[in-house]
Amino acid sequence: MASHKVTALATTTAMVVAAAVVGSLASEPDSLYYASLSKPSWNPPNAVFPVAWTALYADIAVVTGLTLAELRERSRDAEGRRYLTAVVINLVLNGGWSWAFFRAENPAVSAIWAGALAVSSTDLVRRSWRVSRVKGAVLAPYAAWTVFATALSGEIWRLNS
């Protein structure tokens, strides 16, 4: 039903926007702290991050919304509740990473946080794939980016220990 899709997309879009705002409030790529960190040669330029995250946030909102709607349409309500819980946990981890990295100024905490986000993102891809292989494939770049972010955070931790 169209109403399931509209409701689910509105819900996931609002949640994704909230995570993006929370993360943006803590992000300070021009801070003295960030400038002082040793970073690997494969660290992307700062301009890449907002472009990548904007695309990924749109991906998350659409795929999770459509997956949630499909679960509701199929009357798989218990699975839908578990899926929505997984999305909420993922977005809390997502929005919180910037606080762990930029505000806590602790590379170890941010690397571990990024790892938890990567596990959660991979789990979302798995859950989406089980509902629709296309949806899982479309969400896969998000998991790949968070795995990359974990490697990057881990290397920043190592370089600044």
Side-chain angles (χ1 to χ4, degrees):
M1 294 187 163
S3 65
H4 285 304
K5 285 183 183 163
V6 170
T7 301
L9 285 168
T11 299
T12 57
T13 298
M15 292 177 1
V16 167
V17 167
V21 168
V22 166
S24 294
L25 290 172
S27 296
E28 295 181 339
D30 298 324
S31 69
L32 291 175
Y33 167 70
Y34 186 69
S36 73
L37 290 172
S38 296
K39 297 171 205 73
S41 61
W42 45 275
N43 187 74
N46 288 350
V48 169
F49 292 99
V51 173
W53 276 111
T54 299
L56 292 169
Y57 281 136
D59 184 29
I60 298 163
V62 171
V63 171
T64 61
L66 292 175
T67 302
L68 192 58
E70 188 168 338
L71 288 168
R72 289 179 180 160
E73 288 168 3
R74 293 182 182 178
S75 298
R76 291 163 57 182
D77 296 334
E79 187 178 351
R81 284 189 298 277
R82 289 189 301 272
Y83 186 84
L84 183 58
T85 299
V87 173
V88 169
I89 291 167
N90 180 268
L91 292 173
V92 167
L93 289 168
N94 186 307
W97 180 88
S98 293
W99 291 87
F101 185 83
F102 289 104
R103 297 301 172 107
E105 297 184 356
N106 187 325
V109 169
S110 65
I112 293 165
W113 196 290
L117 176 59
V119 168
S120 175
S121 300
T122 302
D123 179 59
L124 272 184
V125 170
R126 179 190 63 81
R127 290 171 186 266
S128 299
W129 179 272
R130 287 180 52 191
V131 175
S132 159
R133 289 183 176 180
V134 170
K135 289 178 184 73
V138 172
L139 191 58
Y142 174 48
W145 182 263
T146 60
V147 168
F148 169 76
T150 300
L152 182 59
S153 294
E155 185 63 4
I156 290 172
W157 174 18
R158 188 188 71 75
L159 290 171
N160 293 280
S161 299

